[in-house]
Amino acid sequence: MYEQMDKDFVLSTYARNYVNFKQGINATLYDDKGKDYIDFTSGIGVSSVGHGNARLANVICEQAKNLIHTSNLYLIEPQAKLAKKLAFLSDLDMATFFANSGAEANEGAIKIARKYGERNFDNKKYKIITLENSFHGRTITTVKATGQKSFHKPDFSPYPDGFSYDKNIKKIYESIDDETIAVMIELVQGEGGVQPFDKKEIQELSSFLKKKGLLLIVDEVQTGIYRSGEFLATNLYEIEPDIITLAKGLAGGVPIGAVMTKHKDIFEPGDHGSTFGGNFLSTRAGLEVLDILESYKNSGLLDETYLYFEDKLEKIRLAYPTLFSEHVGLGLMRGLRCVDAKILTKAIESCFDEGLLVLKAGKNTLRVLPPLTISKDEINEGFKRMKSAIDKIS
Ligand SMILES: *Cc1c(COP(=O)(O)O)cnc(C)c1O
């Protein structure tokens, strides 16, 4: 009944599975028939503190009873606190603009880079280099920033100028020209296939750009907020980018995006804005999520969880060498490279039938992004289901 309603009234942009979830407890979801599913997706990296998190639910409730929104014309206390907390946890001297999504955060990053390029050089510099297989969002500009041809459909053209794509980090050096202002990268390509870049290569690129006075933008929409095991993948790679974007896990499911930059004076009133961005509800939720995850990390539990998870996933790869060629990723963003795309489709369906939610990335990667608070029992149960799902197709 609701499936038909959805088909009749909601625009069809997703290849939807019509399971009807009713409840969630940490990394376990329950559908309308009472069947349970272990969630290795966390709503694509969003439900960082799990489903039905009582602390998060309580602060959202309390905040909603007082103020949800007043507008950015007035001081928003939790917004200021969240911006300070982001600087503190990242250990970076940066100021933040709040938006509502990853794409919007990247739009902000692109605007910062363009203004920087306009103001700081004799000639206009506006070009941004990104990487093949990157993913930066779905707005007209961020889809153009995304280095995947299939996303640049002629149906939506013309796209904005000033974006080009390189095959790998090494190629970037040759592509920089007199109009280049920035390089925008993910440190671990998420949608592109859970592909981490080499730390040394990234550090070299970072210092090269610094020497040239050009900007490094790191899209941490997926890798940020402890997904990599550290607060930011930037911390793991030990670099200091000019601009960092965040979204997915930052407020545990309340829509939020953030662009942080060390160029704190780049914007003046009127340069950029957002009606909803940084409102009381989303920033209060963000503060609580960071509080929960900060102590989770400091207590050692996060590291324990991702090591436990890594070990279990590696055992799956070893058990099925004819299906999976490689175990990729880090922290709690991981994948198994399938030997072909057909096996991947079958594996995802079979996992679903067994009560396990997993994702696809790139052409042939089975991707897992569990809530960071997933319990050992849930990990054990999830991998038990993965094993029987794979047994059924192999
Ligand atoms: C998900 C994602 C985005 C887009 O975020 P939205 O909130 O869907 O706009 C951008 N960059 C990366 C790396 C992502 O993973």
Side-chain angles (χ1 to χ4, degrees), residues 3 47 51 94 103 130 138 143 197 211 235 269 271 284 288 295 313 328 349 366 372 383 389:
E3 176 171 347
S47 308
H51 301 285
M94 289 189 172
T130 70
R138 293 293 204 149
V143 91
F197 288 105
K211 253 182 251 146
N235 301 129
D271 272 348
R284 181 63 191 91
E288 197 66 15
S295 34
L313 192 62
V328 289
E349 280 171 13
L366 187 145
L372 304 177
F383 279 105

PDB file of all heavy atoms in Angstrom, residues 3 47 51 94 103 130 138 143 197 211 235 269 271 284 288 295 313 328 349 366 372 383 389:
ATOM      1  N   GLU A   3       4.031   1.232  -0.693  1.00  0.00           N
ATOM      2  CA  GLU A   3       4.890   1.144  -1.872  1.00  0.00           C
ATOM      3  C   GLU A   3       4.214   1.841  -3.048  1.00  0.00           C
ATOM      4  O   GLU A   3       4.836   2.643  -3.749  1.00  0.00           O
ATOM      5  CB  GLU A   3       5.168  -0.334  -2.212  1.00  0.00           C
ATOM      6  CG  GLU A   3       5.969  -0.470  -3.494  1.00  0.00           C
ATOM      7  CD  GLU A   3       6.449  -1.905  -3.762  1.00  0.00           C
ATOM      8  OE1 GLU A   3       6.372  -2.751  -2.854  1.00  0.00           O
ATOM      9  OE2 GLU A   3       6.898  -2.156  -4.891  1.00  0.00           O
ATOM     10  N   SER A  47      24.038   7.673  10.542  1.00  0.00           N
ATOM     11  CA  SER A  47      23.621   7.343  11.912  1.00  0.00           C
ATOM     12  C   SER A  47      24.837   6.906  12.721  1.00  0.00           C
ATOM     13  O   SER A  47      24.972   5.754  13.129  1.00  0.00           O
ATOM     14  CB  SER A  47      22.562   6.242  11.880  1.00  0.00           C
ATOM     15  OG  SER A  47      21.523   6.619  11.008  1.00  0.00           O
ATOM     16  N   HIS A  51      20.935   3.895  15.876  1.00  0.00           N
ATOM     17  CA  HIS A  51      19.514   4.254  15.812  1.00  0.00           C
ATOM     18  C   HIS A  51      18.936   4.323  17.222  1.00  0.00           C
ATOM     19  O   HIS A  51      19.363   3.578  18.108  1.00  0.00           O
ATOM     20  CB  HIS A  51      18.743   3.210  15.006  1.00  0.00           C
ATOM     21  CG  HIS A  51      19.261   3.057  13.601  1.00  0.00           C
ATOM     22  ND1 HIS A  51      19.016   3.975  12.615  1.00  0.00           N
ATOM     23  CD2 HIS A  51      20.040   2.089  13.037  1.00  0.00           C
ATOM     24  CE1 HIS A  51      19.609   3.588  11.489  1.00  0.00           C
ATOM     25  NE2 HIS A  51      20.244   2.448  11.722  1.00  0.00           N
ATOM     26  N   MET A  94      40.627  26.745  12.751  1.00  0.00           N
ATOM     27  CA  MET A  94      39.711  26.993  11.637  1.00  0.00           C
ATOM     28  C   MET A  94      38.382  27.553  12.122  1.00  0.00           C
ATOM     29  O   MET A  94      37.972  27.313  13.255  1.00  0.00           O
ATOM     30  CB  MET A  94      39.437  25.686  10.882  1.00  0.00           C
ATOM     31  CG  MET A  94      40.615  25.169  10.070  1.00  0.00           C
ATOM     32  SD  MET A  94      40.087  23.793   9.032  1.00  0.00           S
ATOM     33  CE  MET A  94      41.554  23.565   8.030  1.00  0.00           C
ATOM     34  N   ALA A 103      26.760  18.238  -0.186  1.00  0.00           N
ATOM     35  CA  ALA A 103      26.891  18.990  -1.435  1.00  0.00           C
ATOM     36  C   ALA A 103      26.970  20.483  -1.138  1.00  0.00           C
ATOM     37  O   ALA A 103      27.782  21.210  -1.712  1.00  0.00           O
ATOM     38  CB  ALA A 103      25.704  18.701  -2.344  1.00  0.00           C
ATOM     39  N   THR A 130      39.892  17.867  -9.401  1.00  0.00           N
ATOM     40  CA  THR A 130      39.443  16.770  -8.542  1.00  0.00           C
ATOM     41  C   THR A 130      39.919  15.454  -9.154  1.00  0.00           C
ATOM     42  O   THR A 130      40.601  15.458 -10.175  1.00  0.00           O
ATOM     43  CB  THR A 130      37.902  16.757  -8.376  1.00  0.00           C
ATOM     44  OG1 THR A 130      37.299  16.366  -9.616  1.00  0.00           O
ATOM     45  CG2 THR A 130      37.382  18.129  -7.965  1.00  0.00           C
ATOM     46  N   ARG A 138      25.452  16.371  -5.553  1.00  0.00           N
ATOM     47  CA  ARG A 138      24.448  16.263  -6.612  1.00  0.00           C
ATOM     48  C   ARG A 138      23.908  17.594  -7.106  1.00  0.00           C
ATOM     49  O   ARG A 138      22.988  17.615  -7.915  1.00  0.00           O
ATOM     50  CB  ARG A 138      23.275  15.424  -6.093  1.00  0.00           C
ATOM     51  CG  ARG A 138      23.634  13.976  -5.850  1.00  0.00           C
ATOM     52  CD  ARG A 138      23.937  13.271  -7.130  1.00  0.00           C
ATOM     53  NE  ARG A 138      23.743  11.841  -7.004  1.00  0.00           N
ATOM     54  CZ  ARG A 138      23.354  11.073  -8.005  1.00  0.00           C
ATOM     55  NH1 ARG A 138      23.117  11.581  -9.191  1.00  0.00           N
ATOM     56  NH2 ARG A 138      23.214   9.786  -7.825  1.00  0.00           N
ATOM     57  N   VAL A 143      28.136  18.156  -8.812  1.00  0.00           N
ATOM     58  CA  VAL A 143      28.101  16.996  -9.705  1.00  0.00           C
ATOM     59  C   VAL A 143      29.177  17.177 -10.780  1.00  0.00           C
ATOM     60  O   VAL A 143      29.804  16.211 -11.223  1.00  0.00           O
ATOM     61  CB  VAL A 143      26.671  16.785 -10.282  1.00  0.00           C
ATOM     62  CG1 VAL A 143      26.455  17.510 -11.588  1.00  0.00           C
ATOM     63  CG2 VAL A 143      26.359  15.319 -10.444  1.00  0.00           C
ATOM     64  N   PHE A 197      43.969   6.851  -0.056  1.00  0.00           N
ATOM     65  CA  PHE A 197      45.183   7.252  -0.755  1.00  0.00           C
ATOM     66  C   PHE A 197      46.385   7.059   0.146  1.00  0.00           C
ATOM     67  O   PHE A 197      46.269   6.976   1.366  1.00  0.00           O
ATOM     68  CB  PHE A 197      45.063   8.700  -1.231  1.00  0.00           C
ATOM     69  CG  PHE A 197      44.105   8.830  -2.365  1.00  0.00           C
ATOM     70  CD1 PHE A 197      42.845   9.363  -2.173  1.00  0.00           C
ATOM     71  CD2 PHE A 197      44.442   8.361  -3.625  1.00  0.00           C
ATOM     72  CE1 PHE A 197      41.941   9.437  -3.216  1.00  0.00           C
ATOM     73  CE2 PHE A 197      43.547   8.431  -4.673  1.00  0.00           C
ATOM     74  CZ  PHE A 197      42.288   8.972  -4.466  1.00  0.00           C
ATOM     75  N   LYS A 211      53.401  25.465  -0.884  1.00  0.00           N
ATOM     76  CA  LYS A 211      54.528  26.229  -1.441  1.00  0.00           C
ATOM     77  C   LYS A 211      54.080  27.129  -2.587  1.00  0.00           C
ATOM     78  O   LYS A 211      54.568  28.236  -2.764  1.00  0.00           O
ATOM     79  CB  LYS A 211      55.623  25.268  -1.929  1.00  0.00           C
ATOM     80  CG  LYS A 211      56.846  25.263  -1.017  1.00  0.00           C
ATOM     81  CD  LYS A 211      57.920  24.344  -1.574  1.00  0.00           C
ATOM     82  CE  LYS A 211      58.044  23.098  -0.696  1.00  0.00           C
ATOM     83  NZ  LYS A 211      58.383  21.880  -1.412  1.00  0.00           N
ATOM     84  N   ASN A 235      43.410  14.223  10.257  1.00  0.00           N
ATOM     85  CA  ASN A 235      44.253  13.961  11.430  1.00  0.00           C
ATOM     86  C   ASN A 235      45.065  12.687  11.233  1.00  0.00           C
ATOM     87  O   ASN A 235      46.238  12.614  11.587  1.00  0.00           O
ATOM     88  CB  ASN A 235      43.400  13.847  12.701  1.00  0.00           C
ATOM     89  CG  ASN A 235      42.593  15.111  12.992  1.00  0.00           C
ATOM     90  OD1 ASN A 235      41.384  15.041  13.208  1.00  0.00           O
ATOM     91  ND2 ASN A 235      43.250  16.262  12.973  1.00  0.00           N
ATOM     92  N   PRO A 269      29.874  39.642   5.334  1.00  0.00           N
ATOM     93  CA  PRO A 269      28.416  39.501   5.304  1.00  0.00           C
ATOM     94  C   PRO A 269      27.876  39.709   3.892  1.00  0.00           C
ATOM     95  O   PRO A 269      28.250  40.661   3.205  1.00  0.00           O
ATOM     96  CB  PRO A 269      27.937  40.598   6.257  1.00  0.00           C
ATOM     97  CG  PRO A 269      29.046  40.706   7.261  1.00  0.00           C
ATOM     98  CD  PRO A 269      30.312  40.485   6.461  1.00  0.00           C
ATOM     99  N   ASP A 271      28.316  37.408   1.458  1.00  0.00           N
ATOM    100  CA  ASP A 271      29.020  36.515   0.525  1.00  0.00           C
ATOM    101  C   ASP A 271      28.368  35.141   0.405  1.00  0.00           C
ATOM    102  O   ASP A 271      28.426  34.504  -0.638  1.00  0.00           O
ATOM    103  CB  ASP A 271      30.470  36.297   0.989  1.00  0.00           C
ATOM    104  CG  ASP A 271      31.400  37.372   0.442  1.00  0.00           C
ATOM    105  OD1 ASP A 271      30.974  38.135  -0.453  1.00  0.00           O
ATOM    106  OD2 ASP A 271      32.548  37.450   0.918  1.00  0.00           O
ATOM    107  N   ARG A 284      22.661  21.698  17.959  1.00  0.00           N
ATOM    108  CA  ARG A 284      22.557  21.070  19.292  1.00  0.00           C
ATOM    109  C   ARG A 284      22.744  19.556  19.155  1.00  0.00           C
ATOM    110  O   ARG A 284      23.425  18.922  19.957  1.00  0.00           O
ATOM    111  CB  ARG A 284      21.197  21.388  19.935  1.00  0.00           C
ATOM    112  CG  ARG A 284      21.027  20.802  21.329  1.00  0.00           C
ATOM    113  CD  ARG A 284      22.033  21.396  22.296  1.00  0.00           C
ATOM    114  NE  ARG A 284      22.065  20.680  23.578  1.00  0.00           N
ATOM    115  CZ  ARG A 284      22.871  19.657  23.837  1.00  0.00           C
ATOM    116  NH1 ARG A 284      23.689  19.190  22.892  1.00  0.00           N
ATOM    117  NH2 ARG A 284      22.859  19.081  25.021  1.00  0.00           N
ATOM    118  N   GLU A 288      25.917  17.086  20.684  1.00  0.00           N
ATOM    119  CA  GLU A 288      25.720  15.861  21.471  1.00  0.00           C
ATOM    120  C   GLU A 288      26.423  14.674  20.808  1.00  0.00           C
ATOM    121  O   GLU A 288      27.072  13.872  21.480  1.00  0.00           O
ATOM    122  CB  GLU A 288      24.220  15.583  21.639  1.00  0.00           C
ATOM    123  CG  GLU A 288      23.895  14.594  22.750  1.00  0.00           C
ATOM    124  CD  GLU A 288      24.243  15.113  24.153  1.00  0.00           C
ATOM    125  OE1 GLU A 288      24.463  16.333  24.303  1.00  0.00           O
ATOM    126  OE2 GLU A 288      24.305  14.278  25.084  1.00  0.00           O
ATOM    127  N   SER A 295      33.985  10.771  23.806  1.00  0.00           N
ATOM    128  CA  SER A 295      34.285   9.876  24.930  1.00  0.00           C
ATOM    129  C   SER A 295      34.412   8.434  24.466  1.00  0.00           C
ATOM    130  O   SER A 295      35.178   7.656  25.044  1.00  0.00           O
ATOM    131  CB  SER A 295      33.284  10.020  26.078  1.00  0.00           C
ATOM    132  OG  SER A 295      32.008  10.293  25.623  1.00  0.00           O
ATOM    133  N   LEU A 313      35.941  -8.892   8.963  1.00  0.00           N
ATOM    134  CA  LEU A 313      35.800  -8.702   7.513  1.00  0.00           C
ATOM    135  C   LEU A 313      36.936  -9.397   6.770  1.00  0.00           C
ATOM    136  O   LEU A 313      36.736 -10.009   5.725  1.00  0.00           O
ATOM    137  CB  LEU A 313      35.756  -7.203   7.168  1.00  0.00           C
ATOM    138  CG  LEU A 313      35.322  -6.861   5.744  1.00  0.00           C
ATOM    139  CD1 LEU A 313      33.891  -7.324   5.471  1.00  0.00           C
ATOM    140  CD2 LEU A 313      35.419  -5.353   5.481  1.00  0.00           C
ATOM    141  N   VAL A 328      39.476  -3.503   1.450  1.00  0.00           N
ATOM    142  CA  VAL A 328      39.932  -2.110   1.341  1.00  0.00           C
ATOM    143  C   VAL A 328      39.298  -1.238   2.427  1.00  0.00           C
ATOM    144  O   VAL A 328      38.345  -1.639   3.091  1.00  0.00           O
ATOM    145  CB  VAL A 328      39.583  -1.520  -0.052  1.00  0.00           C
ATOM    146  CG1 VAL A 328      40.451  -2.134  -1.136  1.00  0.00           C
ATOM    147  CG2 VAL A 328      38.105  -1.699  -0.368  1.00  0.00           C
ATOM    148  N   GLU A 349      21.887  -8.643  -2.307  1.00  0.00           N
ATOM    149  CA  GLU A 349      20.525  -9.186  -2.186  1.00  0.00           C
ATOM    150  C   GLU A 349      20.466 -10.323  -1.177  1.00  0.00           C
ATOM    151  O   GLU A 349      19.546 -10.398  -0.361  1.00  0.00           O
ATOM    152  CB  GLU A 349      20.043  -9.695  -3.550  1.00  0.00           C
ATOM    153  CG  GLU A 349      19.549  -8.582  -4.454  1.00  0.00           C
ATOM    154  CD  GLU A 349      19.279  -9.069  -5.881  1.00  0.00           C
ATOM    155  OE1 GLU A 349      19.231 -10.308  -6.112  1.00  0.00           O
ATOM    156  OE2 GLU A 349      19.151  -8.184  -6.753  1.00  0.00           O
ATOM    157  N   LEU A 366      31.752  -4.201  -2.304  1.00  0.00           N
ATOM    158  CA  LEU A 366      30.756  -4.356  -1.264  1.00  0.00           C
ATOM    159  C   LEU A 366      31.221  -3.484  -0.105  1.00  0.00           C
ATOM    160  O   LEU A 366      32.302  -3.690   0.441  1.00  0.00           O
ATOM    161  CB  LEU A 366      30.663  -5.823  -0.843  1.00  0.00           C
ATOM    162  CG  LEU A 366      29.551  -6.187   0.123  1.00  0.00           C
ATOM    163  CD1 LEU A 366      29.036  -7.577  -0.211  1.00  0.00           C
ATOM    164  CD2 LEU A 366      29.988  -6.146   1.566  1.00  0.00           C
ATOM    165  N   LEU A 372      29.124   3.850  14.393  1.00  0.00           N
ATOM    166  CA  LEU A 372      30.400   3.757  15.118  1.00  0.00           C
ATOM    167  C   LEU A 372      30.206   3.091  16.474  1.00  0.00           C
ATOM    168  O   LEU A 372      31.151   2.556  17.055  1.00  0.00           O
ATOM    169  CB  LEU A 372      30.998   5.161  15.289  1.00  0.00           C
ATOM    170  CG  LEU A 372      31.201   5.943  13.980  1.00  0.00           C
ATOM    171  CD1 LEU A 372      31.724   7.350  14.265  1.00  0.00           C
ATOM    172  CD2 LEU A 372      32.155   5.218  13.041  1.00  0.00           C
ATOM    173  N   PHE A 383      28.178 -10.591  10.864  1.00  0.00           N
ATOM    174  CA  PHE A 383      29.096 -11.410  10.053  1.00  0.00           C
ATOM    175  C   PHE A 383      28.615 -12.858   9.928  1.00  0.00           C
ATOM    176  O   PHE A 383      28.884 -13.516   8.923  1.00  0.00           O
ATOM    177  CB  PHE A 383      30.525 -11.313  10.589  1.00  0.00           C
ATOM    178  CG  PHE A 383      31.211 -10.054  10.112  1.00  0.00           C
ATOM    179  CD1 PHE A 383      31.403  -8.975  10.965  1.00  0.00           C
ATOM    180  CD2 PHE A 383      31.619  -9.925   8.794  1.00  0.00           C
ATOM    181  CE1 PHE A 383      32.002  -7.803  10.520  1.00  0.00           C
ATOM    182  CE2 PHE A 383      32.222  -8.762   8.332  1.00  0.00           C
ATOM    183  CZ  PHE A 383      32.411  -7.697   9.200  1.00  0.00           C
ATOM    184  N   ALA A 389      24.828 -15.686   3.944  1.00  0.00           N
ATOM    185  CA  ALA A 389      24.382 -15.059   2.685  1.00  0.00           C
ATOM    186  C   ALA A 389      25.340 -15.424   1.546  1.00  0.00           C
ATOM    187  O   ALA A 389      24.903 -15.747   0.440  1.00  0.00           O
ATOM    188  CB  ALA A 389      24.318 -13.549   2.846  1.00  0.00           C
TER     189      ALA A 389
END
